[in-house]
Structures are given as structure tokens and as C-alpha cells.
Amino acid sequence: MNILVTGGAGYIGSHTCVALLEAGHSVSIADNLCNSKRETVDKVKLIANKEVTFYEMDVTNAEAVDVVFQNHKIDGVIHFAGLKAVGESVELPLDYYYNNIVSTLILAKACLKYSVNKFVFSSSATVYGDNTVPFVETLNLLPTTNPYGETKAMCERILTDIAKANPSFSVSILRYFNPVGAHESGFIGEAPNGIPNNLMPYVTQVAKGKLKRLRVFGNDYPTVDGTGVRDYIHVVDLAEGHVAALDHLTEGVHIYNLGTGQGTSVLELVNAFETANDINVPYEIVDRRPGDIASCYADASKAKRELGWTAKRDIIAMCRDSWRFETNSKE
Ligand code: NAD
Ligand code: UFG
């Protein structure tokens, strides 16, 4: 299939492009590079040893999107493009609502206009809010604590309504848990701008000596050791989940958790990182971070049952591959 990947120069998008190319699909990327680099597209081509068409463009620009659909016979869209920093979304709600929702509306409209029936959307476990773990797809969603999370919940509803009204429009909504790790080549991975918000990139930068010590946000949660528990998933497993979702896409709306089903605490992750890479990660316990929940992990059985997909890479592989990418990067 010819797949249009929006946000394909980004962290999850680039790994998914590699997985798509390796599975025999053709890929066009549309990305405005607001949180990524053009070199990543070259690395994708290098790893997969295949060509990719790259459009440097904003997917909130309806005319530019129309040109892409005119230029290619697109069979499916995977829509990664979006702003994703939870804290920033509280400061810049308009930017987040505009970018994440308008892009989804414009792409869905182009799909209907050009009879492109396959649409895969990047959602997030954040839409579950502070529900009871493990999170299963049938749970009623709870409000999230930030505009970013709300954009994901809204886009899920918008795509669901569009699919109801257009029976041939097939939508796969993928709720990611906590993607970490990097391609085993060490060529592509997560390279956040500035000081990272997320745990794994913070840990790798502490290990490298770029940051002094990790601040562990709270050790008084009702969890195994008091620190927050998350379902970390290797980004290459996540990428393969997209290929499976696309291959199995049938009419209607299908929602899948993409996680491992395993919870890991902050201190367990730090220990795994130290063991995997034989390196020390200094840390201190500080206050809880506002908006955090105690535990978030998936019931991953639906994706296994319906897509034949499960995450294969363990926490040690995630820590090893994250570290390889960090040590490869020049900054
Ligand atoms: P990322 O920032 O690395 O990738 C997003 C890409 O989209 C970037 O390359 C950026 O330049 C591009 N982009 C943003 N707005 C655009 C626009 N209007 N037009 C064109 N390109 C645009 O982020 P990621 O971690 O790869 O996340 C991909 C998707 O998955 C996002 O929608 C994100 O919300 C979602 N998600 C991420 C996580 C996570 O922890 N990384 C968890 C759940 C869901
Ligand atoms: N944490 C620390 N210190 C840090 C960073 C994080 O202790 O410096 C802790 C957090 O308190 C939490 C855990 O590590 O317990 C994971 O935090 P992340 O910031 O890495 O990830 P979150 O679970 O908060 O959120 C991430 C993405 C969201 C996405 C969500 C989906 O940032 O966009 O996963 O589950 F919606």
C-alpha cells in the first residue's frame, strides 16, 4: 500500500516508516519539522534501504494536503503529526487545540474527497484519565488534566462520528502507553529539544552527564515502591503495531491499546537502565508532579486477539537501545 505518514520525521513516526518500508509498503511523509529534523528522513531511507517521498509542509494547510492527495494514489493515512508536550499544552491551549484538531479534520476531509478509506490515528493512554488499571479499551474515558489529552479524546470522537456517517471509512485508533527505546541501529530515536519532560530521555541525559541527577516525582504512591508505575513499550514494537493495525483494518472504528501489559515503577526503570548499561544514574526523590497518576498500564489482550500483535522487547532492551541512541548523538 502507499501510506501517507504525517509526522513521519518524528520519534514514533520515523520508526513506523521503517517498519512500513520493511513490510513492503511505500511511504510519503508530511512533516513541518516543528519537532524533528530533516536528517531523520534520510536515516529512515538508510535503515530501510528504500526511497521515501518527503513533503516539508504543515498538515493544517488544506491546500498543501490536497496537493499531496493529488500527487499520489494514497491507500491509507497514519496521522502522527501533533504537538505532544503536556505541560506546554496548559500554557498554549489554543496552539494545541488548533494544531491537533484542525490537522485531523483536514486529513479526514481529504480522505473522504479522494476515497482513501484507511486512517490510523495516534491516540494516548492519557484519555483513560485516572481509571482503574489495567486500562481496557471498553472503559468509560475520564477527563484528562490538560489540553493535550483533551485533543486526543476529541479527535477520537470526531473520527468515530465520521466513520459512523461514512461506512467505508475505516479507522484504527491506537492508544499508546509510554514509548521508549530506539531503533537498534542507533540512527533514529527520541531527541527532545531542551530539558526532557519524560523519564527515559531524562535518565539517558543524566547517565551521559548532561544533567546532574534524576528527580523522581514522588515515592508515596500506592505502588510497589511508592514511585509512579507506567507501561513502557519499545518504539519498534509500537511501530510494528501500526503495520498490524493497517493490515487488519476493516470498516468501522477499532480502538486498540498498544502497550506491554506490564507496569514498571520509576525506580525499577532506573535499576533496569543501570543493569542494562552498567552505568550509574544518580537520583533524588522530590515532590509529586502535578497531574501525574499513580499507575497506568494496558490490558493489551485486544491487540493480540484481533491484530495478532504483542510487544516482544523487554525493559532491558528498551534501556539498552535508548542508551545506544543517546551515546550516538553528538549533542
Ligand atoms: P514527535 O514530536 O517526535 O513527532 C510528531 C511530528 O509531527 C514531529 O516530527 C513534528 O514536526 C510533526 N508535526 C507536528 N505538527 C505538525 C503539523 N501541523 N504539520 C506537519 N507536521 C507536524 O512526537 P511522537 O512522540 O513521535 O508522537 C507522535 C504522535 O503520537 C503524536 O500525535 C503524539 O501526541 C502521539 N503520542 C505520543 C506519545 C509519546 O509519549 N511519545 C504517547 C501517546 C501518544
Ligand atoms: N518521572 C520522574 N522524573 C522525571 C520524569 C518523569 O519521576 O523527570 C516519572 C513520572 O512522575 C511518571 C513516570 O516517570 O511516574 C513517567 O513519566 P513520563 O513523563 O515519562 O510519562 P507520562 O506517563 O507522564 O506521560 C507520557 C507522555 C504523555 C502520554 C502518556 C501516555 O508524556 O504524552 O505517557 O501514557 F499521554
Side-chain angles (χ1 to χ4, degrees), residues 83-86 123-127 135 146 148-149 152 175-180 190 195-203 213-218 221 227-232 264-267 269 284 286-289 291-297:
L83 300 175
K84 64 161 184 176
V86 171
S123 190
S124 166
T126 197
V127 297
F135 295 162
N146 57 81
Y148 165 71
K152 293 296 172 189
R175 294 180 179 156
Y176 313 153
F177 283 70
N178 289 54
V180 295
E190 188 174 20
I195 296 178
N197 294 308
N198 295 119
L199 180 62
M200 184 65 95
Y202 205 104
V203 166
R213 69 174 72 86
L214 172 71
R215 290 173 309 143
V216 175
F217 297 134
Y221 286 107
T227 65
V229 164
R230 297 291 183 272
D231 185 340
Y232 298 96
T264 302
S265 75
V266 176
L267 294 183
L269 185 134
E284 62 179 330
V286 300
D287 286 347
R288 291 180 176 194
R289 183 171 65 177
D292 272 355
I293 58 175
S295 296
C296 168
Y297 55 91

Short mmCIF file of all heavy atoms in Angstrom, two decimals, residues 83-86 123-127 135 146 148-149 152 175-180 190 195-203 213-218 221 227-232 264-267 269 284 286-289 291-297, ligand 2:
data_model
loop_
_atom_site.label_atom_id
_atom_site.label_comp_id
_atom_site.label_asym_id
_atom_site.label_seq_id
_atom_site.Cartn_x
_atom_site.Cartn_y
_atom_site.Cartn_z
N LEU A 83 1.20 18.16 18.34
CA LEU A 83 2.02 18.68 19.44
C LEU A 83 1.74 17.80 20.65
O LEU A 83 0.60 17.39 20.87
CB LEU A 83 1.64 20.14 19.72
CG LEU A 83 1.84 21.10 18.54
CD1 LEU A 83 1.33 22.49 18.89
CD2 LEU A 83 3.31 21.15 18.12
N LYS A 84 2.77 17.51 21.46
CA LYS A 84 2.58 16.45 22.46
C LYS A 84 3.07 16.75 23.87
O LYS A 84 3.07 15.86 24.71
CB LYS A 84 3.25 15.18 21.96
CG LYS A 84 4.76 15.32 21.82
CD LYS A 84 5.46 13.98 21.78
CE LYS A 84 6.96 14.17 21.74
NZ LYS A 84 7.71 12.95 21.78
N ALA A 85 3.52 17.97 24.12
CA ALA A 85 4.06 18.24 25.45
C ALA A 85 2.93 18.66 26.40
O ALA A 85 2.31 19.72 26.23
CB ALA A 85 5.14 19.31 25.39
N VAL A 86 2.68 17.81 27.39
CA VAL A 86 1.55 18.01 28.29
C VAL A 86 1.60 19.38 28.97
O VAL A 86 0.63 20.14 28.94
CB VAL A 86 1.53 16.87 29.34
CG1 VAL A 86 0.50 17.14 30.42
CG2 VAL A 86 1.27 15.53 28.66
N SER A 123 -3.44 7.97 19.25
CA SER A 123 -4.03 8.46 20.49
C SER A 123 -3.12 8.09 21.65
O SER A 123 -1.97 7.68 21.45
CB SER A 123 -5.45 7.93 20.67
OG SER A 123 -6.07 8.62 21.75
N SER A 124 -3.63 8.23 22.85
CA SER A 124 -2.75 8.09 24.01
C SER A 124 -3.52 7.48 25.16
O SER A 124 -4.73 7.72 25.32
CB SER A 124 -2.27 9.48 24.41
OG SER A 124 -1.71 9.45 25.68
N ALA A 125 -2.80 6.75 26.00
CA ALA A 125 -3.40 6.20 27.22
C ALA A 125 -3.89 7.31 28.14
O ALA A 125 -4.68 7.04 29.05
CB ALA A 125 -2.37 5.35 27.95
N THR A 126 -3.45 8.52 27.88
CA THR A 126 -3.89 9.64 28.72
C THR A 126 -5.41 9.82 28.68
O THR A 126 -5.99 10.36 29.61
CB THR A 126 -3.12 10.93 28.30
OG1 THR A 126 -3.25 11.87 29.33
CG2 THR A 126 -3.62 11.53 27.02
N VAL A 127 -6.06 9.35 27.60
CA VAL A 127 -7.53 9.52 27.51
C VAL A 127 -8.27 8.72 28.59
O VAL A 127 -9.43 9.01 28.89
CB VAL A 127 -8.10 9.14 26.11
CG1 VAL A 127 -7.53 10.05 25.02
CG2 VAL A 127 -7.89 7.68 25.77
N PHE A 135 -5.87 -0.65 32.09
CA PHE A 135 -6.82 0.07 31.26
C PHE A 135 -7.25 -0.82 30.09
O PHE A 135 -6.42 -1.30 29.33
CB PHE A 135 -6.18 1.35 30.71
CG PHE A 135 -5.82 2.37 31.76
CD1 PHE A 135 -4.93 3.39 31.46
CD2 PHE A 135 -6.37 2.34 33.04
CE1 PHE A 135 -4.58 4.35 32.41
CE2 PHE A 135 -6.03 3.30 34.01
CZ PHE A 135 -5.13 4.30 33.69
N ASN A 146 -5.30 18.04 31.08
CA ASN A 146 -4.58 19.04 30.26
C ASN A 146 -5.15 19.08 28.85
O ASN A 146 -5.73 18.10 28.37
CB ASN A 146 -3.10 18.67 30.22
CG ASN A 146 -2.90 17.26 29.68
OD1 ASN A 146 -2.93 17.05 28.48
ND2 ASN A 146 -2.76 16.28 30.56
N TYR A 148 -3.69 18.89 25.98
CA TYR A 148 -3.15 17.86 25.09
C TYR A 148 -4.04 16.61 25.12
O TYR A 148 -4.45 16.10 24.08
CB TYR A 148 -1.71 17.49 25.50
CG TYR A 148 -1.24 16.21 24.87
CD1 TYR A 148 -0.96 16.16 23.50
CD2 TYR A 148 -1.13 15.03 25.61
CE1 TYR A 148 -0.56 14.96 22.90
CE2 TYR A 148 -0.74 13.84 25.02
CZ TYR A 148 -0.45 13.82 23.67
OH TYR A 148 -0.08 12.64 23.08
N GLY A 149 -4.31 16.14 26.33
CA GLY A 149 -5.14 14.93 26.47
C GLY A 149 -6.52 15.14 25.88
O GLY A 149 -7.09 14.23 25.25
N LYS A 152 -6.70 14.62 22.16
CA LYS A 152 -6.72 13.20 21.75
C LYS A 152 -8.13 12.63 21.89
O LYS A 152 -8.64 11.94 21.00
CB LYS A 152 -5.72 12.39 22.58
CG LYS A 152 -4.27 12.75 22.31
CD LYS A 152 -3.88 12.43 20.88
CE LYS A 152 -2.51 12.93 20.53
NZ LYS A 152 -2.17 12.83 19.11
N ARG A 175 -4.10 3.64 21.11
CA ARG A 175 -3.78 4.33 22.36
C ARG A 175 -2.43 3.83 22.85
O ARG A 175 -2.31 2.70 23.34
CB ARG A 175 -4.86 4.06 23.41
CG ARG A 175 -6.20 4.69 23.00
CD ARG A 175 -7.28 4.41 24.04
NE ARG A 175 -8.54 5.04 23.64
CZ ARG A 175 -9.73 4.64 24.04
NH1 ARG A 175 -9.85 3.59 24.85
NH2 ARG A 175 -10.81 5.27 23.64
N TYR A 176 -1.42 4.71 22.70
CA TYR A 176 -0.07 4.31 23.08
C TYR A 176 0.10 4.48 24.58
O TYR A 176 -0.36 5.46 25.16
CB TYR A 176 1.01 5.20 22.44
CG TYR A 176 0.88 5.46 20.97
CD1 TYR A 176 1.41 6.64 20.44
CD2 TYR A 176 0.27 4.56 20.11
CE1 TYR A 176 1.33 6.91 19.09
CE2 TYR A 176 0.18 4.83 18.76
CZ TYR A 176 0.70 6.01 18.26
OH TYR A 176 0.62 6.28 16.92
N PHE A 177 0.87 3.58 25.16
CA PHE A 177 1.27 3.76 26.55
C PHE A 177 2.59 4.55 26.54
O PHE A 177 2.63 5.60 25.91
CB PHE A 177 1.22 2.41 27.28
CG PHE A 177 -0.24 2.09 27.59
CD1 PHE A 177 -1.13 1.75 26.58
CD2 PHE A 177 -0.76 2.30 28.86
CE1 PHE A 177 -2.50 1.59 26.83
CE2 PHE A 177 -2.12 2.13 29.13
CZ PHE A 177 -2.98 1.77 28.12
N ASN A 178 3.65 4.13 27.15
CA ASN A 178 4.82 5.03 27.22
C ASN A 178 5.93 4.55 26.29
O ASN A 178 6.72 3.69 26.67
CB ASN A 178 5.33 5.12 28.66
CG ASN A 178 4.39 5.91 29.55
OD1 ASN A 178 3.20 5.61 29.64
ND2 ASN A 178 4.89 6.94 30.19
N PRO A 179 6.01 5.13 25.08
CA PRO A 179 7.02 4.68 24.13
C PRO A 179 8.43 5.12 24.56
O PRO A 179 8.64 6.28 24.92
CB PRO A 179 6.66 5.41 22.82
CG PRO A 179 5.37 6.10 23.08
CD PRO A 179 5.17 6.21 24.54
N VAL A 180 9.35 4.19 24.55
CA VAL A 180 10.76 4.47 24.86
C VAL A 180 11.61 3.62 23.92
O VAL A 180 11.10 2.87 23.11
CB VAL A 180 11.12 4.14 26.34
CG1 VAL A 180 10.37 5.04 27.31
CG2 VAL A 180 10.86 2.67 26.66
N GLU A 190 14.63 9.11 20.16
CA GLU A 190 13.93 10.29 20.66
C GLU A 190 14.96 11.35 21.02
O GLU A 190 15.84 11.10 21.84
CB GLU A 190 13.12 9.92 21.90
CG GLU A 190 12.22 11.05 22.36
CD GLU A 190 11.29 10.64 23.50
OE1 GLU A 190 11.56 9.66 24.19
OE2 GLU A 190 10.28 11.35 23.68
N ILE A 195 15.36 20.59 27.98
CA ILE A 195 15.38 19.60 29.07
C ILE A 195 14.17 18.68 28.91
O ILE A 195 13.04 19.15 28.76
CB ILE A 195 15.35 20.33 30.44
CG1 ILE A 195 16.65 21.14 30.57
CG2 ILE A 195 15.21 19.34 31.59
CD1 ILE A 195 16.75 21.94 31.85
N PRO A 196 14.40 17.37 28.90
CA PRO A 196 13.28 16.46 28.64
C PRO A 196 12.24 16.48 29.76
O PRO A 196 12.58 16.66 30.93
CB PRO A 196 13.95 15.08 28.60
CG PRO A 196 15.41 15.30 28.57
CD PRO A 196 15.67 16.66 29.09
N ASN A 197 10.98 16.27 29.38
CA ASN A 197 9.90 16.11 30.36
C ASN A 197 9.74 14.65 30.74
O ASN A 197 9.31 14.34 31.85
CB ASN A 197 8.56 16.57 29.75
CG ASN A 197 8.55 18.05 29.48
OD1 ASN A 197 8.85 18.83 30.36
ND2 ASN A 197 8.22 18.42 28.25
N ASN A 198 10.03 13.77 29.80
CA ASN A 198 9.73 12.34 30.01
C ASN A 198 10.88 11.62 30.69
O ASN A 198 12.04 12.04 30.59
CB ASN A 198 9.39 11.67 28.68
CG ASN A 198 8.11 12.22 28.08
OD1 ASN A 198 8.12 12.77 26.99
ND2 ASN A 198 7.03 12.12 28.81
N LEU A 199 10.53 10.54 31.34
CA LEU A 199 11.50 9.85 32.19
C LEU A 199 12.72 9.32 31.43
O LEU A 199 13.86 9.60 31.80
CB LEU A 199 10.78 8.70 32.92
CG LEU A 199 11.67 7.88 33.86
CD1 LEU A 199 12.24 8.73 34.98
CD2 LEU A 199 10.85 6.73 34.45
N MET A 200 12.50 8.51 30.37
CA MET A 200 13.65 7.84 29.75
C MET A 200 14.66 8.83 29.16
O MET A 200 15.87 8.70 29.43
CB MET A 200 13.18 6.83 28.69
CG MET A 200 14.31 6.03 28.07
SD MET A 200 15.15 4.95 29.25
CE MET A 200 14.27 3.42 28.96
N PRO A 201 14.23 9.84 28.38
CA PRO A 201 15.25 10.78 27.88
C PRO A 201 15.95 11.53 29.01
O PRO A 201 17.12 11.87 28.89
CB PRO A 201 14.47 11.73 26.96
CG PRO A 201 13.04 11.41 27.12
CD PRO A 201 12.91 10.09 27.78
N TYR A 202 15.25 11.75 30.12
CA TYR A 202 15.90 12.41 31.26
C TYR A 202 16.99 11.49 31.83
O TYR A 202 18.12 11.90 32.08
CB TYR A 202 14.86 12.76 32.34
CG TYR A 202 15.29 13.92 33.20
CD1 TYR A 202 14.73 15.19 33.04
CD2 TYR A 202 16.28 13.78 34.18
CE1 TYR A 202 15.13 16.27 33.81
CE2 TYR A 202 16.70 14.85 34.95
CZ TYR A 202 16.12 16.09 34.76
OH TYR A 202 16.53 17.16 35.53
N VAL A 203 16.63 10.20 31.97
CA VAL A 203 17.60 9.22 32.50
C VAL A 203 18.83 9.13 31.61
O VAL A 203 19.96 9.14 32.09
CB VAL A 203 16.91 7.83 32.66
CG1 VAL A 203 17.93 6.73 32.88
CG2 VAL A 203 15.90 7.86 33.80
N ARG A 213 21.22 15.04 38.10
CA ARG A 213 20.57 13.86 38.68
C ARG A 213 19.09 13.86 38.33
O ARG A 213 18.51 14.92 38.07
CB ARG A 213 20.77 13.78 40.19
CG ARG A 213 20.08 14.82 41.01
CD ARG A 213 20.27 14.53 42.49
NE ARG A 213 21.63 14.78 42.92
CZ ARG A 213 22.08 15.99 43.30
NH1 ARG A 213 21.25 17.01 43.31
NH2 ARG A 213 23.32 16.16 43.67
N LEU A 214 18.54 12.65 38.31
CA LEU A 214 17.12 12.49 38.04
C LEU A 214 16.33 12.94 39.27
O LEU A 214 16.71 12.62 40.39
CB LEU A 214 16.82 11.01 37.74
CG LEU A 214 15.35 10.63 37.62
CD1 LEU A 214 14.75 11.22 36.35
CD2 LEU A 214 15.18 9.12 37.63
N ARG A 215 15.24 13.65 39.02
CA ARG A 215 14.31 13.93 40.11
C ARG A 215 13.16 12.93 39.99
O ARG A 215 12.48 12.91 38.96
CB ARG A 215 13.80 15.37 40.02
CG ARG A 215 14.90 16.40 40.35
CD ARG A 215 14.46 17.82 40.11
NE ARG A 215 13.91 17.96 38.76
CZ ARG A 215 12.87 18.74 38.44
NH1 ARG A 215 12.27 19.45 39.36
NH2 ARG A 215 12.45 18.80 37.20
N VAL A 216 12.99 12.11 40.99
CA VAL A 216 11.89 11.13 40.99
C VAL A 216 10.70 11.81 41.63
O VAL A 216 10.75 12.21 42.80
CB VAL A 216 12.30 9.86 41.76
CG1 VAL A 216 11.13 8.89 41.86
CG2 VAL A 216 13.51 9.20 41.12
N PHE A 217 9.62 11.94 40.83
CA PHE A 217 8.48 12.72 41.29
C PHE A 217 7.57 11.92 42.22
O PHE A 217 6.56 11.36 41.79
CB PHE A 217 7.68 13.23 40.09
CG PHE A 217 8.45 14.18 39.20
CD1 PHE A 217 8.42 14.02 37.81
CD2 PHE A 217 9.20 15.21 39.73
CE1 PHE A 217 9.11 14.89 36.98
CE2 PHE A 217 9.91 16.09 38.90
CZ PHE A 217 9.87 15.92 37.52
N GLY A 218 7.94 11.85 43.48
CA GLY A 218 7.07 11.23 44.49
C GLY A 218 7.40 9.77 44.73
O GLY A 218 7.65 9.02 43.78
N TYR A 221 3.20 7.00 46.29
CA TYR A 221 2.03 6.49 45.55
C TYR A 221 1.73 5.06 46.02
O TYR A 221 2.65 4.35 46.47
CB TYR A 221 2.32 6.45 44.04
CG TYR A 221 2.31 7.81 43.37
CD1 TYR A 221 3.51 8.41 42.95
CD2 TYR A 221 1.11 8.49 43.13
CE1 TYR A 221 3.51 9.64 42.32
CE2 TYR A 221 1.12 9.73 42.50
CZ TYR A 221 2.31 10.30 42.10
OH TYR A 221 2.30 11.52 41.48
N THR A 227 6.81 4.76 43.81
CA THR A 227 7.02 5.64 42.65
C THR A 227 6.03 5.28 41.54
O THR A 227 5.47 4.17 41.53
CB THR A 227 8.48 5.58 42.14
OG1 THR A 227 8.77 4.27 41.64
CG2 THR A 227 9.46 5.92 43.26
N GLY A 228 5.83 6.20 40.62
CA GLY A 228 4.81 6.03 39.57
C GLY A 228 5.07 4.81 38.69
O GLY A 228 6.21 4.53 38.34
N VAL A 229 4.00 4.13 38.35
CA VAL A 229 4.11 2.92 37.51
C VAL A 229 3.55 3.21 36.12
O VAL A 229 2.46 3.78 35.97
CB VAL A 229 3.36 1.74 38.17
CG1 VAL A 229 3.11 0.61 37.18
CG2 VAL A 229 4.16 1.23 39.37
N ARG A 230 4.32 2.85 35.08
CA ARG A 230 3.89 3.05 33.70
C ARG A 230 4.17 1.80 32.89
O ARG A 230 4.99 0.96 33.25
CB ARG A 230 4.65 4.23 33.05
CG ARG A 230 4.42 5.58 33.70
CD ARG A 230 3.00 6.08 33.47
NE ARG A 230 2.78 7.41 34.03
CZ ARG A 230 2.39 7.65 35.28
NH1 ARG A 230 2.19 6.65 36.12
NH2 ARG A 230 2.19 8.89 35.70
N ASP A 231 3.53 1.75 31.72
CA ASP A 231 3.69 0.63 30.80
C ASP A 231 4.62 1.10 29.68
O ASP A 231 4.18 1.68 28.68
CB ASP A 231 2.30 0.26 30.26
CG ASP A 231 2.30 -0.97 29.38
OD1 ASP A 231 3.38 -1.35 28.87
OD2 ASP A 231 1.21 -1.53 29.19
N TYR A 232 5.93 0.88 29.86
CA TYR A 232 6.90 1.31 28.84
C TYR A 232 6.89 0.31 27.70
O TYR A 232 6.91 -0.90 27.93
CB TYR A 232 8.30 1.44 29.48
CG TYR A 232 8.30 2.50 30.55
CD1 TYR A 232 8.14 2.15 31.90
CD2 TYR A 232 8.37 3.85 30.22
CE1 TYR A 232 8.08 3.12 32.89
CE2 TYR A 232 8.30 4.83 31.21
CZ TYR A 232 8.15 4.46 32.53
OH TYR A 232 8.08 5.43 33.51
N THR A 264 5.92 -0.84 35.22
CA THR A 264 7.28 -0.71 35.75
C THR A 264 7.34 0.62 36.52
O THR A 264 6.92 1.66 36.00
CB THR A 264 8.30 -0.66 34.57
OG1 THR A 264 8.14 -1.85 33.80
CG2 THR A 264 9.73 -0.55 35.06
N SER A 265 7.88 0.57 37.73
CA SER A 265 7.97 1.81 38.52
C SER A 265 9.18 2.63 38.07
O SER A 265 10.06 2.12 37.37
CB SER A 265 8.07 1.49 40.01
OG SER A 265 9.39 1.03 40.29
N VAL A 266 9.22 3.89 38.51
CA VAL A 266 10.35 4.75 38.14
C VAL A 266 11.66 4.12 38.63
O VAL A 266 12.64 4.03 37.88
CB VAL A 266 10.18 6.17 38.75
CG1 VAL A 266 11.40 7.03 38.45
CG2 VAL A 266 8.91 6.84 38.22
N LEU A 267 11.65 3.66 39.89
CA LEU A 267 12.91 3.09 40.42
C LEU A 267 13.26 1.78 39.74
O LEU A 267 14.44 1.47 39.53
CB LEU A 267 12.82 2.93 41.94
CG LEU A 267 12.73 4.26 42.71
CD1 LEU A 267 12.71 4.01 44.23
CD2 LEU A 267 13.89 5.19 42.36
N LEU A 269 12.70 1.16 36.64
CA LEU A 269 13.27 1.54 35.34
C LEU A 269 14.72 2.02 35.52
O LEU A 269 15.60 1.66 34.75
CB LEU A 269 12.43 2.62 34.67
CG LEU A 269 12.94 2.94 33.26
CD1 LEU A 269 11.79 3.00 32.26
CD2 LEU A 269 13.71 4.25 33.21
N GLU A 284 17.28 11.78 43.07
CA GLU A 284 16.76 12.22 44.37
C GLU A 284 15.24 12.15 44.29
O GLU A 284 14.66 12.29 43.20
CB GLU A 284 17.22 13.66 44.67
CG GLU A 284 16.72 14.67 43.66
CD GLU A 284 17.14 16.10 43.96
OE1 GLU A 284 17.32 16.45 45.13
OE2 GLU A 284 17.26 16.88 42.98
N VAL A 286 11.77 13.82 44.93
CA VAL A 286 11.19 15.15 45.13
C VAL A 286 9.66 15.02 45.19
O VAL A 286 9.13 13.90 45.13
CB VAL A 286 11.63 16.14 44.02
CG1 VAL A 286 13.14 16.29 43.98
CG2 VAL A 286 11.10 15.72 42.65
N ASP A 287 8.97 16.14 45.29
CA ASP A 287 7.50 16.10 45.38
C ASP A 287 6.87 15.49 44.13
O ASP A 287 7.48 15.50 43.06
CB ASP A 287 6.95 17.53 45.53
CG ASP A 287 7.20 18.07 46.92
OD1 ASP A 287 7.56 17.27 47.82
OD2 ASP A 287 7.04 19.30 47.10
N ARG A 288 5.64 15.05 44.30
CA ARG A 288 4.87 14.57 43.14
C ARG A 288 4.78 15.66 42.08
O ARG A 288 4.76 16.85 42.42
CB ARG A 288 3.45 14.21 43.56
CG ARG A 288 3.35 12.99 44.44
CD ARG A 288 1.88 12.75 44.77
NE ARG A 288 1.70 11.53 45.55
CZ ARG A 288 0.53 10.94 45.75
NH1 ARG A 288 -0.57 11.48 45.24
NH2 ARG A 288 0.43 9.83 46.44
N ARG A 289 4.69 15.26 40.82
CA ARG A 289 4.47 16.23 39.73
C ARG A 289 2.95 16.42 39.56
O ARG A 289 2.22 15.43 39.41
CB ARG A 289 5.09 15.66 38.44
CG ARG A 289 5.01 16.56 37.24
CD ARG A 289 5.83 16.03 36.08
NE ARG A 289 5.34 14.77 35.54
CZ ARG A 289 5.87 14.14 34.49
NH1 ARG A 289 6.93 14.65 33.88
NH2 ARG A 289 5.37 13.01 34.06
N GLY A 291 -0.68 16.58 38.30
CA GLY A 291 -1.32 15.96 37.14
C GLY A 291 -0.95 14.50 36.93
O GLY A 291 -1.59 13.80 36.16
N ASP A 292 0.10 14.01 37.61
CA ASP A 292 0.51 12.61 37.44
C ASP A 292 -0.47 11.67 38.15
O ASP A 292 -1.01 12.01 39.20
CB ASP A 292 1.91 12.38 38.04
CG ASP A 292 3.02 12.66 37.05
OD1 ASP A 292 2.71 12.94 35.88
OD2 ASP A 292 4.19 12.59 37.46
N ILE A 293 -0.63 10.48 37.57
CA ILE A 293 -1.41 9.45 38.26
C ILE A 293 -0.44 8.39 38.78
O ILE A 293 0.72 8.33 38.36
CB ILE A 293 -2.49 8.83 37.35
CG1 ILE A 293 -1.89 8.20 36.09
CG2 ILE A 293 -3.53 9.88 36.98
CD1 ILE A 293 -2.92 7.47 35.22
N ALA A 294 -0.94 7.55 39.70
CA ALA A 294 -0.06 6.55 40.32
C ALA A 294 0.34 5.48 39.31
O ALA A 294 1.53 5.19 39.13
CB ALA A 294 -0.78 5.90 41.51
N SER A 295 -0.64 4.89 38.65
CA SER A 295 -0.37 3.74 37.80
C SER A 295 -1.10 3.84 36.48
O SER A 295 -2.26 4.27 36.44
CB SER A 295 -0.85 2.44 38.47
OG SER A 295 -0.13 2.21 39.63
N CYS A 296 -0.41 3.42 35.43
CA CYS A 296 -1.00 3.42 34.08
C CYS A 296 -0.39 2.26 33.32
O CYS A 296 0.81 2.28 33.03
CB CYS A 296 -0.67 4.76 33.42
SG CYS A 296 -1.01 4.84 31.66
N TYR A 297 -1.17 1.19 33.13
CA TYR A 297 -0.69 0.12 32.25
C TYR A 297 -1.87 -0.52 31.53
O TYR A 297 -3.01 -0.41 31.95
CB TYR A 297 0.20 -0.91 32.96
CG TYR A 297 -0.38 -1.56 34.18
CD1 TYR A 297 -1.11 -2.74 34.10
CD2 TYR A 297 -0.19 -1.00 35.45
CE1 TYR A 297 -1.63 -3.35 35.23
CE2 TYR A 297 -0.72 -1.60 36.58
CZ TYR A 297 -1.43 -2.77 36.46
OH TYR A 297 -1.97 -3.36 37.59
N1 UFG B 2 9.08 10.93 36.13
C1 UFG B 2 10.02 11.24 37.10
N2 UFG B 2 11.01 12.14 36.80
C2 UFG B 2 11.10 12.74 35.58
C3 UFG B 2 10.14 12.42 34.59
C4 UFG B 2 9.14 11.52 34.91
O1 UFG B 2 9.96 10.71 38.22
O2 UFG B 2 12.00 13.56 35.39
C5 UFG B 2 8.04 9.94 36.43
C6 UFG B 2 6.62 10.48 36.34
O3 UFG B 2 6.23 11.04 37.57
C7 UFG B 2 5.84 9.21 35.96
C8 UFG B 2 6.83 8.42 35.12
O4 UFG B 2 8.12 8.93 35.45
O5 UFG B 2 5.56 8.48 37.11
C9 UFG B 2 6.61 8.58 33.61
O6 UFG B 2 6.57 9.97 33.29
P1 UFG B 2 6.68 10.48 31.76
O7 UFG B 2 6.70 11.98 31.84
O8 UFG B 2 7.80 9.81 31.09
O9 UFG B 2 5.35 9.94 31.11
P2 UFG B 2 3.82 10.14 31.49
O10 UFG B 2 3.26 8.81 31.85
O11 UFG B 2 3.64 11.25 32.45
O12 UFG B 2 3.20 10.64 30.10
C10 UFG B 2 3.54 10.04 28.85
C11 UFG B 2 3.50 11.09 27.74
C12 UFG B 2 2.07 11.53 27.52
C13 UFG B 2 1.21 10.33 27.23
C14 UFG B 2 1.32 9.30 28.33
C15 UFG B 2 0.60 8.05 27.92
O13 UFG B 2 4.30 12.21 28.10
O14 UFG B 2 2.02 12.38 26.40
O15 UFG B 2 2.70 8.96 28.56
O16 UFG B 2 0.57 7.12 28.92
F1 UFG B 2 -0.07 10.72 27.12
#
